[in-house]
Amino acid sequence: MTDHFEILGRDGAARLGELRLAESVTTPALADGVVEDAGSLWTTERDVPEGSDDVLTVLPHRSFPAGTDERVQESFAVDSPEVDFPSASVVTAETAENTGADAYILSNAQGFVGHASAFRDAVVAAKEALPADTALYLSGVATPRNVSTLAYAGVDLVDGKLARVKGRQGMYLTTESEYFLEDLDELPCTCAACRTPREEFTREDCATHNVNVLRAELATVRRRIRDGRLRDYVEGQARHDQWLTAAFREFDQQYGYLEERTPVIRNAEISAATSDTIRRVEIQRFAERVTTRYRNRFDNPLVLVPCSATKPYSESQSHSQFHDAIQFRAHVASMTSPIGVVPTELELTYPAQHYDSVVTGRWSEDEKGFVASVLRRYLERNDYPRVVAHVPDHGYRDICERVESEVDVPFEYTVEDHPTTTDSLANLMSTLQGELKYAKRERQHNTVKAIADYQFGPDAGEDLFDDADVRMNSRYPKLQVWNENDEQLATMVPQYGVLSFTLAGARVWSESDAPTKRVEIDNFAPHGSVLAPGVVDADDDIRVGDEVVVEGPKAFAVGRAEMFGAEMAESTRGVAVEVRHVEEK
């Protein structure tokens, strides 16, 4: 149980936290000045320290370097005392376990930082073994260049030890490199230490500069976490060192670890500036749900169109022209990198309207391969009489032709030169000649059901809303779902393209065959939010941003998850669920 550390925000595995000392520290942060070491047990026995609310006390410990045999570590293991002051336990990735501390220091960090797969394995093993609401501290490894990647992996505390040592060795650190001080005619920094004239700048000044830059970089990291955009920053920052690029790619391969910790909805824009964006959790999750959960409910042909810079696509000039030509005689899906395939019903659903990509007109083989894979799986799951590919040459058409040879549905191509030319639009109109239009009511019902499939699981649309009525509040996309008793069940949230339940809707969900995400609470009725100490249990598949049913002896409620499921069940501090509606029993 932690009394002195609380997580305030999340961006994947990275966390914004508060180390609650006499003067609170916002993490990720430097621990310098707020840590007091009670000493090693290798040299002598030590009493339990008195501790203080002013500092994080490192309990008496035995540190083990990387590569120490686990049997040796077990033989010399330390029993950590129970204390009531802010404390940290020293462990390794192999021996990490809950000792009741507020923070855990990996003593073997210097052996795996710098080695991508070993770094990934150690951090993931430690995070899975330790309580979710405690801080992870890596000592003696942080530099301005690597600290954003450390935070991205889930590290909460670092120190300036390595930065100081390098400075005293004459190494001048920046966020993208390190230089021999003797090679610098001009100091590329304006921190307080660097305002010293170059000829008077000493190695001690260099050590001070290195820590200043490290501290400033941590402030940038915290800002990025608040904005939900640390990954965008790391994709660029990691390019400055090969091991850092390898490290975040290794974490991309550890999909389960990152996916569990990545919100399903948020406001942050995804900047698709590198090929690594394709491997982001948000992108892979969207593609997986579109190809395994979503189901097309229209009988019309499928028209594939290119994406647009304007989001949502339907508000762009090009898509307005496509709409005028199609006139509801076909189902429309947009092809895009890095998202893949976006059915028109899901064009608002995160991250379909929350990304921006670099447009060059040229597709990389990685992009073609990914979008082709998504399109193939999409067509294998959904039945269409034919596919009209209203896409330009090169990337888009290359993908369609690649998929055409792998699926059992005929393709037709309608573009001459460019999708919005008069001839191309005329071809699109003529190829749909004779197709019946689908009605506005059908479109609205299919949109709500498609979102339910995507959000809750395969066939959830029918399970939840088969007999429901969909109404428009003002104009699209403000859709509301009502039952035959004139009770509102849900509303569409245009900001994220998801459904938000009322109490009546939550009861329908709870009693349906659709997978329901549940949080069991203790004997109280929540108002406003459910704090983690009040959670008895929570489904493991809950993610931040999910709709959840909250139920206990005294209340039935519905709201949005602020933690992932395992974190709710383990944590002793923080908001677990923001409650929208509650009914006392």
Side-chain angles (χ1 to χ4, degrees):
M1 178 176 179
T2 176
D3 292 320
H4 303 282
F5 182 71
E6 181 174 348
I7 300 162
L8 305 177
R10 298 160 182 80
D11 184 8
R15 293 106 60 89
L16 194 72
E18 182 182 7
L19 183 60
R20 292 186 166 169
L21 307 177
E23 292 187 13
S24 293
V25 176
T26 302
T27 63
L30 286 177
D32 302 64
V34 297
V35 170
E36 187 173 283
D37 190 351
S40 171
L41 292 171
W42 284 118
T43 56
T44 184
E45 291 297 318
R46 298 182 186 273
D47 295 330
V48 176
E50 293 183 4
S52 166
D53 287 339
D54 296 326
V55 294
L56 182 70
T57 300
V58 181
L59 299 173
H61 55 274
R62 291 192 181 96
S63 297
F64 298 96
T68 303
D69 190 289
E70 281 192 53
R71 292 170 296 181
V72 175
Q73 296 186 48
E74 291 172 0
S75 297
F76 291 95
V78 174
D79 293 327
S80 294
E82 291 186 11
V83 296
D84 58 4
F85 51 80
S87 65
S89 285
V90 177
V91 298
T92 66
E94 296 82 12
T95 62
E97 62 178 359
N98 184 8
T99 64
D102 302 289
Y104 293 85
I105 305 171
L106 297 189
S107 67
N108 55 343
Q110 295 178 43
F112 59 73
V113 170
H115 306 278
S117 60
F119 171 63
R120 175 206 63 196
D121 292 344
V123 170
V124 171
K127 297 288 276 190
E128 291 182 347
L130 297 172
D133 59 346
T134 56
L136 183 64
Y137 180 2
L138 300 192
S139 179
V141 297
T143 68
R145 183 164 49 174
N146 72 20
V147 74
S148 61
T149 302
L150 300 184
Y152 175 76
V155 176
D156 304 291
L157 291 167
V158 295
D159 52 42
K161 291 178 181 178
L162 180 60
R164 288 192 187 88
V165 168
K166 283 183 172 287
R168 289 166 184 152
Q169 291 172 340
M171 298 302 299
Y172 185 97
L173 305 185
T174 69
T175 57
E176 74 279 352
S177 191
E178 59 181 46
Y179 303 90
F180 288 108
L181 183 57
E182 288 77 8
D183 293 340
L184 293 176
D185 297 324
E186 180 182 0
L187 301 178
C189 176
T190 58
C191 73
C194 293
R195 292 174 193 155
T196 303
R198 175 65 188 89
E199 61 275 10
E200 299 175 14
F201 192 82
T202 66
R203 291 191 173 190
E204 195 59 41
D205 293 326
C206 188
T208 302
H209 153 80
N210 289 351
V211 175
N212 288 345
V213 178
L214 178 56
R215 183 176 288 109
E217 181 68 355
L218 280 163
T220 298
V221 168
R222 291 193 295 272
R223 181 68 262 167
R224 285 284 180 162
I225 294 173
R226 288 187 181 96
D227 294 341
R229 300 197 62 181
L230 181 60
R231 170 60 186 247
D232 294 343
Y233 185 71
V234 168
E235 281 190 22
Q237 184 64 20
R239 293 294 188 274
H240 298 305
D241 195 321
Q242 286 82 355
W243 96 262
L244 295 175
T245 301
F248 91 78
R249 287 178 177 171
E250 289 285 350
F251 273 93
D252 281 348
Q253 299 302 314
Q254 198 72 31
Y255 180 78
Y257 172 76
L258 289 180
E259 192 279 329
E260 183 177 40
R261 293 163 171 79
T262 301
V264 294
I265 56 172
R266 50 180 166 182
N267 287 323
E269 179 183 272
I270 293 175
S271 178
T274 76
S275 59
D276 289 303
T277 303
I278 290 172
R279 290 179 282 275
R280 287 181 66 144
V281 166
E282 299 95 323
I283 304 301
Q284 293 293 326
R285 181 194 279 150
F286 187 86
E288 185 272 334
R289 291 190 178 191
V290 164
T291 55
T292 62
R293 293 186 177 190
Y294 169 84
R295 181 166 62 82
N296 168 51
R297 292 173 171 83
F298 295 96
D299 297 326
N300 307 64
L302 170 67
V303 173
L304 294 173
V305 297
C307 65
S308 65
T310 301
K311 313 290 187 306
Y313 306 132
S314 59
E315 295 183 3
S316 70
Q317 183 176 356
S318 60
H319 280 243
S320 294
Q321 292 175 289
F322 302 155
H323 169 75
D324 290 343
I326 295 168
Q327 286 293 310
F328 303 115
R329 293 176 295 170
H331 180 227
V332 177
S334 299
M335 295 171 58
T336 176
S337 175
I339 303 292
V341 176
V342 183
T344 189
E345 307 97 302
L346 300 180
E347 70 166 2
L348 297 178
T349 303
Y350 181 83
Q353 68 163 330
H354 302 81
Y355 77 97
D356 196 10
S357 58
V358 177
V359 179
T360 65
R362 294 183 297 275
W363 290 60
S364 70
E365 185 54 39
D366 282 349
E367 290 175 303
K368 289 181 183 179
F370 174 69
V371 177
S373 171
V374 175
L375 179 58
R376 176 182 53 78
R377 287 181 284 149
Y378 177 85
L379 291 175
E380 288 173 346
R381 175 171 172 78
N382 294 286
D383 294 326
Y384 291 99
R386 58 189 172 120
V387 175
V388 178
H390 190 73
V391 296
D393 285 341
H394 307 300
Y396 287 104
R397 182 150 180 165
D398 291 345
I399 292 167
C400 289
E401 290 176 345
R402 186 180 302 186
V403 173
E404 181 183 6
S405 64
E406 299 176 345
V407 296
D408 188 25
V409 57
F411 275 62
E412 300 173 47
Y413 298 90
T414 54
V415 169
E416 295 182 21
D417 186 37
H418 191 273
T420 59
T421 63
T422 300
D423 288 343
S424 295
L425 293 171
N427 291 342
L428 180 57
M429 291 178 67
S430 63
T431 198
L432 295 174
Q433 193 73 31
E435 295 289 348
L436 298 177
K437 292 184 179 181
Y438 50 79
K440 178 180 178 181
R441 186 176 186 277
E442 180 183 4
R443 187 169 74 251
Q444 292 176 348
H445 277 73
N446 287 354
T447 295
V448 166
K449 290 178 181 179
I451 293 172
D453 288 348
Y454 178 93
Q455 191 173 351
F456 305 117
D459 300 319
E462 267 68 34
D463 291 335
L464 295 170
F465 306 128
D466 201 31
D467 299 320
D469 181 31
V470 178
R471 304 175 188 174
M472 192 96 77
N473 179 15
S474 70
R475 60 189 295 270
Y476 180 83
K478 296 183 178 179
L479 300 178
Q480 297 178 343
V481 186
W482 298 73
N483 65 14
E484 65 277 7
N485 299 321
D486 210 34
E487 291 179 299
Q488 185 177 348
L489 303 180
T491 188
M492 181 177 170
V493 183
Q495 186 178 6
Y496 307 116
V498 296
L499 297 172
S500 174
F501 283 119
T502 63
L503 272 176
R507 291 197 180 280
V508 170
W509 184 27
S510 180
E511 296 167 5
S512 74
D513 292 331
T516 307
K517 298 186 177 183
R518 302 178 188 275
V519 178
E520 181 186 350
I521 61 171
D522 216 331
N523 192 26
F524 66 98
H527 295 283
S529 60
V530 173
L531 300 181
V535 174
V536 175
D537 198 10
D539 290 344
D540 286 339
D541 60 349
I542 292 173
R543 301 291 178 261
V544 175
D546 269 333
E547 284 287 294
V548 292
V549 166
V550 179
E551 192 163 13
K554 289 189 175 180
F556 179 88
V558 63
R560 181 172 291 166
E562 295 294 324
M563 297 178 176
F564 61 90
E567 187 180 24
M568 287 186 192
E570 292 178 11
S571 295
T572 57
R573 301 189 72 89
V575 176
V577 181
E578 286 291 354
V579 174
R580 185 182 312 113
H581 305 290
V582 62
E583 180 178 81
E584 296 189 26
K585 294 182 178 179

